[in-house]
Structure formats: structure tokens, C-alpha cells
Amino acid sequence: MEQVSAIQLKGITKRFGRVVANDGIDLEVRRGEILSLLGENGSGKTTLMNMISGIYFPDEGHICVGGREVTIRSPKDAYALGIGMIHQHFKLVDVFTAAENIVLGLEGKGAFDLRAAARRVKEISEKYGFDIDPGKKVYDMSVSEKQTVEILKVLYRGADILILDEPTAVLTPQETEKLFAVLRNMRADGKAIVIITHKLHEVMALSDRVAVLRKGKYIGTVHTADTDPQKLTEMMVGRAVSLNIDRPEAKYRDLRLEVKGLTCRDHEGIKTLDDVSFQAFGGEILGIAGIAGSGQKELLEAIAGLHRAEGGSISYIDPETGAHEELIGKDPADISDMGVALSFVPEDRLGMGLVGNMDLTDNMMLRSFRRTKGIFTNRKAPHDLAEKVVEELEVNTPSVSTPVRRLSGGNVQKVLVGREIASAPTVLLTAYAVRGLDINSSYTIYDLINKQKERGVAVIYVGEDLDVLLELCDRILVLCGGKVSGLVDGRGATKRKVGMMMTRLGGAKDDE
């Protein structure tokens, strides 16, 4: 099929005050192709796509759809032109069904005929390979089902140009493969698809072409078949970047944390952790592997005092005195008051880690304000720390007075990780510390974590990328359905072996 232009952007510029988010960008998206949009955090990818989908209006430049210049002032205008965007954070009503969410906001005769809507949803699902029950309530859905509803919502409105912002950020490998199969079916049907992503292996596996932005400017578009991850990284960053993760030998090895028989349940009484036992040592990185929902999040939250344990013990061993302190039954404030330096980078960065309406300085102060004596808080130290994190992690922000909610997702993550590491912990707990980060920022975080290890910190690292776990971690604890499936040496383990352990208890024994 001959490819024709779906969208052309000519000289698109967008400013927010003094910040130029997009600077004279020219870009073409074609029908019957998947175009990956790459760039470091804050390079202007989402801003650019928000202009195509009607959320922002460009200060300069022209947008052509199907060869005709158009004006897009709202998402309604975008839908009328066949453009739909699926955002990172879903915009669904929890108490409504899939079908009700899909027709919500539609006007005209039959807009609320839910039987007809359910039939149409089923037709679209069968055409592209979706698996969704139109009558299911959103609050009963998995993350991938919610994403499916968002995609069906734009298809139902007739979109043939789809923009997906970080579509695999919270999907399991199996869910990602399902999504890719659907996107390939859409491409075969002549849809134009743009994916904003940081995962280079997904770019190589899925896209036809790759467009790269750097600091708000358009660098170029290349055919995926003619490039590789190293070349793409150099285009994004503007210089050669090593894609090797160091794994220094542990200098220390003192027992720092001992977990015995830890058992936890969720609010519905279902076991999330079942008799989990392990040890964590200072000067090493202990990786936690498992498919989504295997208990990784609950494990870190139980250690940090954020999730109540039903049974077992968590002993913290003071590196100075060797004294054992029991953590179960204590809340995070108690644990901090004991002098136990636990740093926790949670999975939900704006929900649990930072306050979106507060600026960078105030978010730094969240770690220290309880220790302030008197009615006035000391803002100098948090301000200095905010400046240091911005400089060292290259956070793209107008100033440390900017509200965190105005930063890109990746820059929010840098602020959170920087704050937690700067608190000089003796145990560092990290859950998905590089989720949503570009490749260069991810390697900066890996380097920071290795520096903590060299300082003698016990690092417990939960990650979704098995290749990174195998490169970064000294030992890997594998969870399967809330139970310990095994413990392997990071230097000798294979992806196949750990993958088998993740999917069934004791799965690795077949390989031994």
C-alpha cells in the first residue's frame, strides 16, 4: 500500500513563559505506519502531541491533516479530523462500565443507546483483536483493560490517527505483546499511529520510523530498519552514551535487613505475600523480580511501614552497633525516629512520593519538616538540595519554584529519586525507579544506585526490565504469586532461568 501523509507539522513552536517547549518543529506522520517519537524527558514530545490532539494551541506554525491546513483548538476539533490521543494517565469514570465511558460526552441521536454501543464496541474489538467486556465496571479492570477502553473510546469516535503516550509504562510483558499485536492490526488497516516511548527495544520491535526530539528541537526521522539503539541514543542526547551498566564488586557485606516468614494481605483479605524470607546486605544490590502483582510493591511497603504485616518479622541491623530492631508494627515516622534510614522510591510517584501542587523546594522539605523545632521551617537546606538535584540529574525545569505537576513525568521521577538518595540512607528501597525515564536518565539513576552500593548501602531494587536486573543486581530474589520462587546470583543467572521462576514456583529447577 502506497503511504500517504496523515499529518504534517510545519514550523510548530510552543512556549510556556520563557521556556520554549517546541522550537520550529517539522514532522510527518504517514497512514499505515507506526512512528515512534523519541527524546529525553522534557524534550517536548508530549507537548507536541498535545497540540495535534487539541489540548494546546501552537504559538507559531501550521498543521496539515490529509494535505489540508487545519486549525485544532480543542480535542473536539481533533476528533472531527480523526485524531485521538491516549494519555499516560487514564481519563475514565471508575463507577461506569466500559461502554458508558466510551459513549460519555457524545452528542446526537442514539448517543446513549448502550446496547448499540456495546455491539459497536464488540465489532471494533473483534476487528483489531481487543479483549474487553463492554459491561464491566472500570473499578474492576486491570491497567491493560483500562487502556483498552481508552483506545476503544477514540476508535469509536472514528479516529484513524492515534497517539499513544507511554502505552507500555505499566503493562506486563504479556500485556505489551497483546497491545503490539493490536497496533500492528491497526497499521494493516491503514491507521496512522504515533507512540511516545522511552523503551528502545520496543521502538526497534514495533515501529516503522523513529522521529527524535532534543531540547525542544526536531533532530530527524530515520527508518527503524536502518538504525540501532546506540545511534538513537546519540541522536537523543547529542553525544556518545555508554549503554553498559556497571556492577562493581561489593566492598562491604554486613547484614542490614533480615525478613523472616513475612505474610501480608490486601484490603480484600487476599494474601499478597506468603511466608517470604530473605536477607539484604550492605554494599550489595538485591533485585526483586516477578511479573506484575507478585507482591513486589507490598514487600517494599511492608519494610517501609506503609503496609501492615499479618505475620513474620523484619529486623533492621544497625551498621554502627549491630543491634537488631524489629520494624513490624511501626509506622514510617516511628521507623525514622528509631534512626532507621530507610529511603523509599514508591511505584506511584505523584500519588505517594511527591505533592504535585508544591514546588521542588517544598517537596524536598517533606523529608525533614518533622525534625524542625519551633513554628518556622528551615527552607535553606531543602532549597539547596533542590538546586543540587536539578543540576546533578539534569532536571528540566524553569526553576526550583516550579510546581512539580508542571514537570514531565520523567523529571518528576528524577526529583523523587534524587531526594530519596540524598537522604543518605543505610537501606534504599526502590520500586520502578526508572519507569518513564529516557535512556540517558535511566543510566544516570543506575550510576547513582551503584554509588550507594559502594558507600555500603543495602539497596533493594524492584524493576520490570529483566535485562537490567541481570546486569545491575548482585543477587535476585524471584517472587511468584506472593511466594519466594528462588534466589539467584545476578552474575550467573540467565533471562530464561529467571523468567521460568517468575511464572511458576521452583521453575528454575528444570534448568539446573
Side-chain angles (χ1 to χ4, degrees):
M1 186 177 76
E2 185 188 346
Q3 286 189 317
V4 296
S5 177
I7 294 183
Q8 276 188 303
L9 306 181
K10 299 173 182 176
I12 295 291
T13 297
K14 182 66 183 173
R15 301 179 189 88
F16 296 98
R18 289 173 298 153
V19 177
V20 182
N22 293 133
D23 187 0
I25 290 178
D26 299 323
L27 184 69
E28 182 191 36
V29 185
R30 300 168 185 166
R31 298 199 181 277
E33 80 161 357
I34 298 174
L35 176 78
S36 286
L37 188 57
L38 272 183
E40 291 189 273
N41 299 120
S43 61
K45 305 180 298 296
T46 303
T47 299
L48 186 65
M49 292 300 106
N50 279 340
M51 281 186 279
I52 296 173
S53 61
I55 292 170
Y56 295 147
F57 191 77
D59 297 325
E60 296 169 24
H62 309 277
I63 300 174
C64 296
V65 175
R68 180 173 61 90
E69 187 169 340
V70 297
T71 300
I72 304 174
R73 294 190 178 274
S74 68
K76 190 176 178 181
D77 289 347
Y79 277 130
L81 293 163
I83 302 166
M85 184 164 175
I86 295 91
H87 297 270
Q88 230 176 321
H89 303 290
F90 306 139
K91 301 174 190 304
L92 301 171
V93 180
D94 267 11
V95 295
F96 284 7
T97 64
E100 287 167 341
N101 269 283
I102 287 165
V103 300
L104 192 63
L106 287 176
E107 298 170 351
K109 193 177 175 186
F112 289 100
D113 183 347
L114 291 177
R115 279 191 179 175
R119 281 196 303 273
R120 178 74 183 123
V121 167
K122 268 204 143 82
E123 284 170 21
I124 298 170
S125 297
E126 285 168 8
K127 182 176 182 180
Y128 296 115
F130 289 110
D131 182 17
I132 194 76
D133 173 4
K136 192 171 185 179
K137 299 273 190 186
V138 167
Y139 59 67
D140 284 330
M141 292 182 185
S142 67
V143 173
S144 66
E145 287 175 314
K146 289 176 186 177
Q147 186 182 67
T148 297
V149 174
E150 287 283 20
I151 297 172
L152 284 168
K153 198 174 11 169
V154 301
L155 290 173
Y156 192 92
R157 285 159 170 75
D160 56 9
I161 300 165
L162 284 86
I163 302 159
L164 294 92
D165 190 0
E166 296 283 352
T168 65
V170 290
L171 300 186
T172 66
Q174 296 91 330
E175 289 166 342
T176 297
E177 273 309 311
K178 270 191 193 172
L179 174 65
F180 284 5
V182 168
L183 294 178
R184 290 183 183 111
N185 289 340
M186 289 186 191
R187 174 178 63 189
D189 193 43
K191 305 280 187 199
I193 299 166
V194 182
I195 289 188
I196 303 172
T197 182
H198 293 303
K199 299 180 179 180
L200 292 181
H201 62 283
E202 293 180 358
V203 170
M204 300 304 295
L206 184 67
S207 62
D208 300 291
R209 295 188 304 141
V210 187
V212 179
L213 301 185
R214 188 198 311 148
K215 294 181 179 174
K217 292 182 184 288
Y218 172 68
I219 302 303
T221 302
V222 294
H223 287 278
T224 310
D226 299 334
T227 190
D228 59 50
Q230 186 69 52
K231 288 176 188 168
L232 290 174
T233 305
E234 288 172 16
M235 283 179 75
M236 284 165 55
V237 180
R239 55 183 165 78
V241 174
S242 169
L243 296 183
N244 293 318
I245 300 174
D246 290 330
R247 180 163 40 199
E249 287 291 337
K251 294 177 185 172
Y252 309 85
R253 200 166 150 76
D254 57 315
L255 184 60
R256 194 66 52 82
L257 201 69
E258 188 163 27
V259 177
K260 289 181 180 175
L262 183 63
T263 300
C264 296
R265 293 182 188 271
D266 65 14
H267 60 280
E268 293 174 353
I270 298 165
K271 272 189 186 177
T272 51
L273 292 171
D274 188 359
D275 194 28
V276 170
S277 301
F278 66 91
Q279 294 178 322
F281 295 88
E284 78 158 9
I285 301 172
L286 175 68
I288 310 288
I291 59 172
S294 292
Q296 307 95 306
K297 177 172 172 279
E298 290 81 3
L299 175 60
L300 295 200
E301 289 181 0
I303 297 169
L306 296 166
H307 192 100
R308 194 174 69 81
E310 183 183 88
S313 72
I314 304 171
S315 293
Y316 169 79
I317 296 91
D318 190 302
E320 300 293 325
T321 65
H324 288 236
E325 298 275 5
E326 178 57 49
L327 302 188
I328 284 183
K330 295 181 172 62
D331 64 22
D334 292 333
I335 291 171
S336 177
D337 291 342
M338 285 165 49
V340 177
L342 287 174
S343 281
F344 181 53
V345 180
E347 185 178 22
D348 179 5
R349 48 197 178 207
L350 274 180
M352 284 175 65
L354 300 168
V355 178
N357 286 331
M358 288 166 56
D359 65 20
L360 274 69
T361 297
D362 287 344
N363 270 290
M364 295 296 159
M365 203 159 61
L366 288 176
R367 263 216 154 270
S368 59
F369 79 96
R370 291 178 71 255
R371 293 192 289 273
T372 303
K373 292 176 181 172
I375 59 170
F376 298 107
T377 54
N378 172 18
R379 291 179 61 83
K380 185 178 185 312
H383 180 273
D384 291 347
L385 176 56
E387 296 273 15
K388 183 182 177 190
V389 168
V390 166
E391 183 185 347
E392 289 188 2
L393 296 187
E394 298 177 1
V395 177
N396 196 346
T397 177
S399 76
V400 295
S401 302
T402 302
V404 163
R405 64 180 162 73
R406 285 176 51 190
L407 305 184
S408 70
N411 282 300
V412 169
Q413 187 77 333
K414 289 183 190 178
V415 170
L416 177 57
V417 173
R419 183 192 72 188
E420 295 303 298
I421 287 177
S423 69
T426 59
V427 176
L428 175 65
L429 307 175
T430 70
Y432 310 106
V434 298
R435 178 179 280 171
L437 290 188
D438 60 67
I439 192 84
N440 191 41
S441 301
S442 297
Y443 279 77
T444 301
I445 298 299
Y446 301 145
D447 187 48
L448 279 174
I449 288 172
N450 268 323
K451 282 179 179 160
Q452 295 303 299
K453 167 184 167 177
E454 290 177 318
R455 279 187 52 242
V457 174
V459 181
I460 300 179
Y461 178 91
V462 173
E464 55 204 344
D465 191 326
L466 203 46
D467 292 304
V468 170
L469 280 164
L470 290 166
E471 271 191 82
L472 180 69
C473 302
D474 299 286
R475 293 182 304 140
I476 301 171
L477 181 81
V478 187
L479 294 178
C480 175
K483 292 176 180 280
V484 175
S485 181
L487 184 68
V488 297
D489 188 314
R491 289 168 175 78
T494 64
K495 195 171 177 180
R496 179 172 178 265
K497 180 178 180 178
V498 176
M500 287 178 70
M501 294 169 76
M502 286 166 63
T503 52
R504 70 180 191 274
L505 286 170
K509 287 175 185 169
D510 297 355
D511 280 1
E512 308 277 2

